[in-house]
């Protein structure tokens, strides 16, 4: 059974220059490829001993009160807001209630089905503004998923969460990454993940290509887990990629082209820049309806 550790700390601020927030630092999901373990982020405590910002809701309310214009508030880029610790779950719910209260939009990135506990608030936010739920897909293989993302719900369950969001009118985006060379960088895996996206009606897929990133801190943890679960693969990996930051699979070109073809066929937005722009644009329901009608008229011509 996973032992959950946490400590509380008062933060000085909550929103970044681009209105992103992290209500905690560290994580218990145990993903073997996690970039947030990198030393450059200066998490100076055990990564699994989650530091929870005890005053996050009050900081957020103060920040939103002072904003002159409504905007999108993002969360989950560095630390998943749905780590299964009561103090953390209370914090994210309180923050969502504040976002709804003041009529702001929200974009949430999570791998956890615990987000369903806050579905009622997400629906309310979506009626006033724009709510976007994002999740990560790495592998269609459930057994492999339990190895590379051991302490969080599997891909199939995340797909089910996306379906529930779709049924409630909430837009969804999938981060399809990383693809670990020699492990999940296969056509079979990519097609399985894309089938999930198609069936769940996702708006878009954030797709960096077929590969991953590694740097000091995250690389050490990744190699330790390769030794544990894939004996002999670390040497093969290190021989091919050394200490490179950007790791590109030999299958990148072929699979990237396949992803483009399938997404075009099913009207799924594939990319990075265009989806980040979309997630950053605040829209009220009336504005979203107007833009949709304009796009329909443009398509007619």
């Amino acid at each position: 059974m996973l032992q959950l550790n946490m400590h509380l700390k008062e933060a000085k601020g909550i929103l970044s220059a681009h209105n992103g927030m992290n209500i905690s630092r560290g994580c218990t999901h145990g993903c073997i490829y996690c970039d947030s373990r990198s030393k450059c982020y200066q998490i100076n405590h055990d990564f699994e001993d989650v530091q929870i910002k005890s005053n996050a809701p009050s900081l957020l309310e103060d920040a939103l009160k002072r904003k002159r214009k409504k905007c999108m508030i993002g969360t989950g880029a560095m630390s998943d807001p749905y780590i299964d610790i009561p103090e953390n779950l209370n914090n994210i719910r309180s923050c969502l209630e504040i976002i709804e209260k003041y009529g702001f939009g929200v974009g949430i990135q999570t791998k956890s089905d615990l987000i369903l506990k806050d579905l009622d608030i997400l629906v309310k936010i979506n009626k006033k503004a724009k709510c976007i739920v994002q999740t990560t897909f790495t592998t269609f293989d459930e057994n492999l998923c339990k190895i590379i993302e051991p302490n969080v719900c599997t891909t199939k369950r995340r797909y089910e969460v996306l379906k529930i969001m779709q049924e409630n009118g909430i837009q969804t985006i999938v981060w399809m990454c990383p693809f670990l060379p020699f492990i999940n960088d296969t056509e079979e895996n990519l097609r399985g993940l894309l089938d999930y996206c198609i069936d769940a009606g996702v708006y878009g897929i954030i797709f960096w290509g077929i590969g991953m990133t590694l740097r000091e801190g995250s690389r050490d943890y990744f190699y330790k887990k390769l030794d544990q679960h894939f004996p002999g693969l670390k040497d093969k990996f290190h021989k091919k990629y050394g200490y490179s930051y950007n790791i590109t699979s030999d299958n990148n070109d072929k699979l990237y082209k396949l992803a483009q073809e399938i997404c075009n066929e099913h009207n799924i937005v594939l990319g990075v820049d265009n989806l980040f722009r979309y997630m950053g644009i605040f829209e009220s329901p009336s504005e979203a309806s107007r833009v949709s009608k304009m796009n329909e008229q443009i398509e007619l011509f």
Side-chain angles (χ1 to χ4, degrees):
M1 183 176 179
L2 176 67
Q3 183 178 354
L4 300 177
N5 297 314
M6 69 91 182
H7 62 281
L8 301 174
K9 183 175 181 178
E10 285 202 355
K12 295 180 180 179
I14 193 65
L15 289 183
S16 71
H18 299 289
N19 299 307
M21 69 172 183
N22 285 294
I23 62 172
S24 58
R25 283 169 64 83
C27 189
T28 59
H29 291 346
C31 304
I32 71 172
Y33 52 77
C34 181
D35 180 67
S36 294
R37 291 180 181 273
S38 301
K39 289 187 177 181
C40 62
Y41 299 121
Q42 299 181 337
I43 296 181
N44 300 316
H45 55 84
D46 185 71
F47 194 72
E48 284 75 19
D49 179 13
V50 180
Q51 182 186 95
I52 295 173
K53 298 177 183 178
S54 58
N55 58 336
S58 60
L59 288 173
L60 179 63
E61 183 155 26
D62 182 62
L64 297 191
K65 279 181 180 178
R66 291 185 284 107
K67 282 195 175 290
R68 296 181 179 180
K69 293 179 65 176
K70 298 288 191 289
C71 64
M72 295 292 290
I73 306 298
T75 187
M78 280 293 297
S79 294
D80 196 315
Y82 285 96
I83 297 167
D84 193 8
I85 297 173
E87 292 84 351
N88 196 69
L89 296 178
N90 290 338
N91 255 8
I92 185 59
R93 185 169 181 88
S94 295
C95 287
L96 291 174
E97 289 172 340
I98 291 164
I99 289 169
E100 190 274 332
K101 175 182 176 182
Y102 290 96
F104 284 73
V106 70
I108 305 179
Q109 186 178 346
T110 181
K111 293 176 183 172
S112 176
D113 58 353
L114 290 173
I115 192 173
L116 295 176
K117 290 179 175 288
D118 293 333
L119 180 59
D120 58 329
I121 306 175
L122 299 180
V123 170
K124 289 179 181 178
I125 291 173
N126 203 44
K127 288 180 179 178
K128 289 184 177 181
K130 182 165 72 175
C131 177
I132 304 171
V133 171
Q134 309 150 62
T135 195
T136 300
F137 282 179
T138 56
T139 177
F140 186 72
D141 184 325
E142 293 287 279
N143 292 324
L144 179 59
C145 189
K146 292 172 184 176
I147 293 173
I148 66 176
E149 299 163 343
N151 304 323
V152 70
C153 67
T154 62
T155 307
K156 182 178 180 181
R157 180 57 177 160
R158 291 175 224 167
Y159 150 74
E160 292 170 351
V161 169
L162 294 180
K163 290 280 286 183
I164 292 169
M165 294 299 165
Q166 178 195 41
E167 292 163 2
N168 283 273
I170 294 172
Q171 203 70 273
T172 57
I173 288 174
V174 165
W175 292 65
M176 196 171 288
C177 59
F179 288 90
L180 313 178
F182 316 118
I183 297 176
N184 68 328
D185 59 336
T186 66
E187 180 175 336
E188 179 185 18
N189 183 48
L190 178 62
R191 286 186 180 277
L193 296 178
L194 289 171
D195 284 345
Y196 271 158
C197 292
I198 294 164
D199 193 58
V202 303
Y203 175 83
I205 298 173
I206 292 176
F207 192 75
W208 307 92
I210 308 299
M212 64 183 300
T213 59
L214 285 177
R215 49 188 158 192
E216 188 179 6
S218 61
R219 182 187 296 109
D220 300 337
Y221 188 80
F222 178 67
Y223 280 168
K224 182 175 75 173
K225 291 300 177 180
L226 287 187
D227 280 340
Q228 180 181 346
H229 298 292
F230 307 95
L233 188 55
K234 181 182 76 172
D235 292 338
K236 183 177 180 180
F237 210 98
H238 191 267
K239 182 178 180 180
K240 183 172 180 62
Y241 297 108
Y243 290 93
S244 299
Y245 169 57
N246 286 305
I247 308 298
T248 302
S249 165
D250 289 343
N251 300 325
N252 178 69
D253 293 348
K254 178 183 72 173
L255 296 185
Y256 197 99
K257 182 180 179 182
L258 177 64
Q260 288 179 314
E261 291 172 352
I262 293 176
C263 286
N264 287 339
E265 181 182 350
H266 294 276
N267 297 315
I268 296 173
V269 180
L270 182 75
V272 177
D273 293 342
N274 47 0
L275 287 174
F276 273 97
R277 280 194 297 270
Y278 169 72
M279 289 190 288
I281 297 172
F282 175 86
E283 294 175 315
S284 67
S286 59
E287 289 172 330
S289 176
R290 177 174 57 81
V291 171
S292 177
K293 288 180 180 178
M294 287 176 58
N295 288 338
E296 289 176 3
Q297 291 172 349
I298 291 171
E299 287 177 5
L300 287 175
F301 290 97

